[in-house]
Amino acid sequence: MKLTLALPLLVSLAQAVQISVSGSNANVSSVYQYGIMFEGKSIDGGLYAELIRNRAFYNSEQYPATLSPFESVGGATLSLINASTPLSTALNTNMRVSVNKKSAAQVGFANPGWWGIHVSQQTYRGSFWVKGAYSGSFTAALVSNITNQTYASAQVQSVSQPGQWTQHNFTWSPSRAAPDVNNTLTITFNAAAATNGYLDFNLISLFPPTYKNRENGNRIDLMQALADIKPKFLRFPGGSDLEGTANGTYWDWRRAIGPLRERPGRPDIWGYQISNGLGLVEYFNWCDDLGMEPILAVFDGLYLSGVVLSQTELAYYVQDTTDELEYIMGDTSTQYGALRASHGYPKPFKVRFVEVGNEDSLDPNGLTSYYSYRFKAYQSAINAKYPDISVMTSYSNNTINHDVPVAQSADYHQYSTPDAFVLTQANFFDQNPADSRTLIGEVATVYPNTDSVGYVNWTDRGPASFPVHPWWIGSVAEAVFLLGAERNSEKIIGAAYAPTAQNMNDWQWSPTLISFDADPAHTTRSTSHHIIKLLSNHKLTHTLPSTATNTTVTHGTHNSTFNPLFHVTGIGGSASTIYKPIGNNNDYVFKAAVYNTTTPVPVTLNFPGVQAGDRAQLIVLTSPQGPNAMNEVGGRNLVKRAVGMVSAGAGGAFEFELAEWSVAVLRTVNVTVKGFVDL
């Protein structure tokens, strides 16, 4: 897309920058550093691999049950029925397929999925529930909407009974791939063999292969895009979606556990009804699959509508949180640990972080009650039973004019413009107390530079104001901010771009880290994804202080000694070396982002003990298409990745140049990093 985005306010000619890295006063870095915050209109029809849209006719006050997008096959009549014998109390609306005088011999229904169904040579697993007297067979097929070609078909013998619900299962392995996603699931049956002239259907499901073959799992291509950034934590289930918009619409863990037929779904705050197929256990499976630390967020009595629960009303939800933690971590001798085991998970999961609420500082009434009684109630109850859990506030005192309640950690969110990240956020965490612990739970550049630094017009969320995808200069500005967080990693738990993903057929928020549609070949890693992948794939185990020449400039209310070469220096190693004495399995690491220059920046870099001839790998990301380039769905990747080797010259200095609007990582190769006695 073509979008005119303002360039940075500050422009300067680059001078040679000389950086000397200290061999002492190393700080231990967080083991998390980069992670994922996931919510938005990208769960059903997105990460959650279910291919059938509206599979169980979910019903809520906000989104009443509908037949859409189901269509009749063979002239059958489709209708919604609230029967006296539903599939479950959770799924109490079903679809009736009735035979009429104009019906064909074979009748049934079709579902086009989430704006299409991808068909390839792989195994698909499907199922559906039926109620009614029928002794024939069902035909389940994948059919092209364009050519009517059948790519897969299975005969499923009926075990349906009058007045009872029975599940039917099938598998496919198409012999050829479809050229596009314009395909439909059809399920048909012999009209003459339906004793009562109709059959009732519910929970109609179709899954492709999932990541690591998880049952009820996640879409492989999207999970791989996330795995590429090597995330170390997952904050879930929100975000704003945690809160809900009104009474009873918060993310309720009890409605997101157990068999799928016992999950009623809920109205997502982003504009659609979701199935809760991606439920509580599935989030923990996701953490296991990608090696992430779960950061569990819990509803804290504040709805997005501004309604705040009283202390009396809050008591139920505080107890509900400790029940949830028992379900997650309790052994099978406990009430909720036994319930988890009955759902197929006898082994407990582990939680080290619980965040109480989400962005409570944005609502004046919410902030007052949060500070006076809501947070304290949760913290006391959680730590009384689980003293090792770090209970996190949903806001940081960096943004509030009074102290955060006594908490083990806090959550900081920042959405802004490129210049604002550089002018006011580059060394934002330098000011934090040494003993503070902050999660950067949400961060993204969302708005172009304007004459007013940091101005974001939140009243206009359309693509005319908010870019549909991250753009290069915004991504570089995010890197400037993230490098500042890395320099203070002993204070920072980690950082997550937000939101994570958008379905290009139906989305509410932009930009996002990943964009996708029904075709896995279209899954697109944004410019920000490429930068975060580079930074996260070279995590530091320790930061090392450094001094630099020709970089001092004043940024608004903060003094920075980094502009235009914003950087962090330290030691990188395998996970086995984290929190252990530094040994020979480590490398020196230099990370940098160039933002405020019109010419390349010459760099001279000295690490302790490096000698002439020692070598380092230098990876540099740039945008040949300029600062406004963005990766679009179906388009090519506009981020250039250059990898080369640099040899240290006289005095053990590495010398190289970094282009304007570039992000780079230099990592020494086979250079001994000696132990530091002051760790």
Side-chain angles (χ1 to χ4, degrees):
M1 69 178 291
K2 294 182 178 179
L3 182 65
T4 301
L5 301 171
L7 297 182
L9 296 175
L10 300 179
V11 177
S12 64
L13 296 176
Q15 301 183 61
V17 178
Q18 296 180 342
I19 300 172
S20 296
V21 182
S22 173
S24 60
N25 298 317
N27 285 318
V28 176
S29 298
S30 168
V31 297
Y32 306 115
Q33 295 184 39
Y34 291 95
I36 298 169
M37 179 272 178
F38 193 81
E39 68 170 1
K41 227 170 183 180
S42 54
I43 298 175
D44 286 359
L47 186 80
Y48 181 51
E50 172 66 77
L51 293 173
I52 302 306
R53 187 177 182 184
N54 192 27
R55 67 183 180 186
F57 316 103
Y58 298 101
N59 186 38
S60 67
E61 183 177 344
Q62 291 87 339
Y63 304 106
T66 175
L67 285 169
S68 178
F70 284 89
E71 295 182 351
S72 169
V73 172
T77 299
L78 307 184
S79 58
L80 291 177
I81 301 294
N82 292 317
S84 58
T85 308
L87 176 58
S88 66
T89 56
L91 303 181
N92 52 20
T93 301
N94 56 266
M95 178 174 66
R96 177 161 293 177
V97 181
S98 302
V99 179
N100 58 58
K101 294 180 180 180
K102 297 182 179 180
S103 296
Q106 292 287 317
V107 298
F109 55 86
N111 186 297
W114 296 89
W115 299 280
I117 297 176
H118 174 68
V119 179
S120 64
Q121 293 174 281
Q122 58 187 5
T123 299
Y124 294 79
R125 302 185 184 278
S127 63
F128 54 92
W129 289 78
V130 182
K131 184 181 70 172
Y134 178 64
S135 59
S137 64
F138 299 95
T139 301
L142 271 177
V143 181
S144 169
N145 292 333
I146 307 300
T147 66
N148 207 37
Q149 179 175 353
T150 298
Y151 291 102
S153 181
Q155 294 296 309
V156 185
Q157 183 60 45
S158 172
V159 293
S160 181
Q161 299 292 327
Q164 298 180 20
W165 286 95
T166 55
Q167 188 177 27
H168 297 69
N169 301 285
F170 61 92
T171 60
W172 291 319
S173 295
S175 59
R176 58 176 295 185
D180 53 50
V181 297
N182 293 306
N183 307 299
T184 295
L185 166 71
T186 64
I187 294 178
T188 57
F189 59 91
N190 184 348
T195 302
N196 295 324
Y198 65 83
L199 293 173
D200 291 340
F201 291 82
N202 209 335
L203 197 53
I204 302 145
S205 176
L206 181 65
F207 273 82
T210 60
Y211 192 77
K212 294 196 174 182
N213 296 313
R214 286 279 190 187
E215 184 178 354
N216 195 47
N218 294 335
R219 188 168 142 174
I220 291 175
D221 58 307
L222 297 180
M223 284 289 282
Q224 187 58 56
L226 296 175
D228 287 348
I229 67 173
K230 298 187 185 302
K232 289 301 179 184
F233 69 85
L234 173 66
R235 174 175 165 251
F236 66 90
S240 296
D241 196 40
L242 171 72
E243 302 169 77
T245 56
N247 186 31
T249 61
Y250 70 99
W251 198 93
D252 184 350
W253 69 276
R254 296 176 190 271
R255 298 163 66 91
I257 58 174
L260 297 180
R261 65 182 181 274
E262 296 177 3
R263 303 186 193 186
R266 59 179 291 272
D268 183 283
I269 67 105
W270 300 107
Y272 72 150
Q273 182 82 9
I274 61 173
S275 66
N276 275 348
L278 178 59
L280 183 61
V281 166
E282 287 77 17
Y283 275 114
F284 280 91
N285 287 341
W286 182 6
C287 288
D288 287 347
D289 287 345
L290 295 189
M292 300 183 295
E293 184 74 28
I295 298 180
L296 177 69
V298 297
F299 175 70
D300 69 348
L302 171 65
Y303 290 102
L304 283 175
S305 60
V307 173
V308 179
L309 299 182
S310 68
Q311 285 182 269
T312 301
E313 294 170 320
L314 192 65
Y316 166 83
Y317 298 94
V318 173
Q319 180 62 50
D320 191 58
T321 292
T322 58
D323 291 346
E324 180 180 10
L325 290 170
E326 183 176 285
Y327 179 90
I328 295 167
M329 298 192 293
D331 62 39
T332 55
S333 67
T334 64
Q335 177 184 353
Y336 291 103
L339 178 61
R340 183 196 65 246
S342 74
H343 293 156
Y345 296 90
K347 183 180 178 180
F349 299 101
K350 181 67 177 176
V351 174
R352 293 181 176 87
F353 297 95
V354 172
E355 180 170 359
V356 178
N358 174 68
E359 294 181 342
D360 287 79
S361 60
L362 297 185
D363 187 295
N365 293 328
L367 180 59
T368 301
S369 60
Y370 190 83
Y371 187 73
S372 62
Y373 67 87
R374 288 193 292 119
F375 177 80
K376 295 174 183 178
Y378 280 87
Q379 184 187 42
S380 297
I382 292 170
N383 283 153
K385 191 171 183 180
Y386 305 100
D388 294 334
I389 288 181
S390 175
V391 183
M392 183 183 302
T393 63
S394 70
Y395 64 88
S396 166
N397 62 354
N398 295 83
T399 57
I400 306 299
N401 291 325
H402 58 65
D403 292 335
V404 172
V406 177
Q408 292 93 339
S409 48
D411 188 1
Y412 176 74
H413 298 178
Q414 184 60 259
Y415 297 97
S416 196
T417 67
D419 276 347
F421 271 115
V422 176
L423 292 170
T424 66
Q425 298 283 314
N427 60 347
F428 187 76
F429 296 104
D430 294 355
Q431 324 303 322
N432 278 23
D435 60 351
S436 65
R437 292 285 283 166
T438 300
L439 174 74
I440 306 171
E442 301 177 25
V443 61
T445 304
V446 297
Y447 204 72
N449 287 322
T450 64
D451 291 338
S452 178
V453 174
Y455 170 77
V456 177
N457 181 10
W458 290 105
T459 61
D460 181 6
R461 292 286 303 122
S465 297
F466 282 64
V468 176
H469 307 287
W471 69 110
W472 183 248
I473 195 171
S475 300
V476 175
E478 291 161 5
V480 170
F481 172 73
L482 292 171
L483 292 177
E486 286 200 38
R487 285 197 310 275
N488 293 279
S489 188
E490 74 278 10
K491 311 172 190 175
I492 305 299
I493 297 169
Y497 187 102
T500 299
Q502 64 183 153
N503 188 329
M504 295 309 297
N505 292 289
D506 187 22
W507 48 273
Q508 194 275 347
W509 181 290
S510 68
T512 59
L513 194 65
I514 301 166
S515 299
F516 66 92
D517 58 24
D519 188 345
H522 292 169
T523 294
T524 301
R525 294 154 172 82
S526 69
T527 54
S528 293
H529 181 284
H530 285 274
I531 287 176
I532 291 172
K533 176 183 175 182
L534 176 65
L535 299 180
S536 182
N537 276 235
H538 296 274
K539 293 182 178 72
L540 300 179
T541 60
H542 303 76
T543 56
L544 291 172
S546 64
T547 57
T549 62
N550 296 326
T551 59
T552 303
V553 69
T554 298
H555 286 328
T557 59
H558 299 301
N559 289 324
S560 171
T561 58
F562 296 95
N563 190 68
L565 184 72
F566 300 86
H567 62 274
V568 61
T569 53
I571 301 162
S574 65
S576 63
T577 66
I578 294 176
Y579 296 137
K580 295 181 180 180
I582 300 173
N584 293 337
N585 295 325
N586 298 271
D587 307 311
Y588 288 119
V589 177
F590 164 81
K591 302 182 185 183
V594 179
Y595 185 85
N596 181 32
T597 179
T598 57
T599 59
V601 178
V603 181
T604 300
L605 176 64
N606 286 95
F607 286 109
V610 172
Q611 300 176 4
D614 285 343
R615 305 178 75 209
Q617 182 188 65
L618 179 63
I619 305 172
V620 183
L621 303 184
T622 56
S623 170
Q625 304 299 316
N628 293 337
M630 57 180 66
N631 287 345
E632 301 182 78
V633 170
R636 63 187 182 91
N637 175 30
L638 299 182
V639 179
K640 179 181 177 181
R641 185 176 188 267
V643 182
M645 300 300 296
V646 182
S647 295
F654 295 108
E655 296 186 345
F656 50 93
E657 284 190 340
L658 294 179
E660 59 177 341
W661 301 316
S662 65
V663 178
V665 170
L666 179 143
R667 189 174 193 126
T668 59
V669 178
N670 295 325
V671 173
T672 299
V673 176
K674 298 180 180 180
F676 291 85
V677 297
D678 57 347
L679 287 179

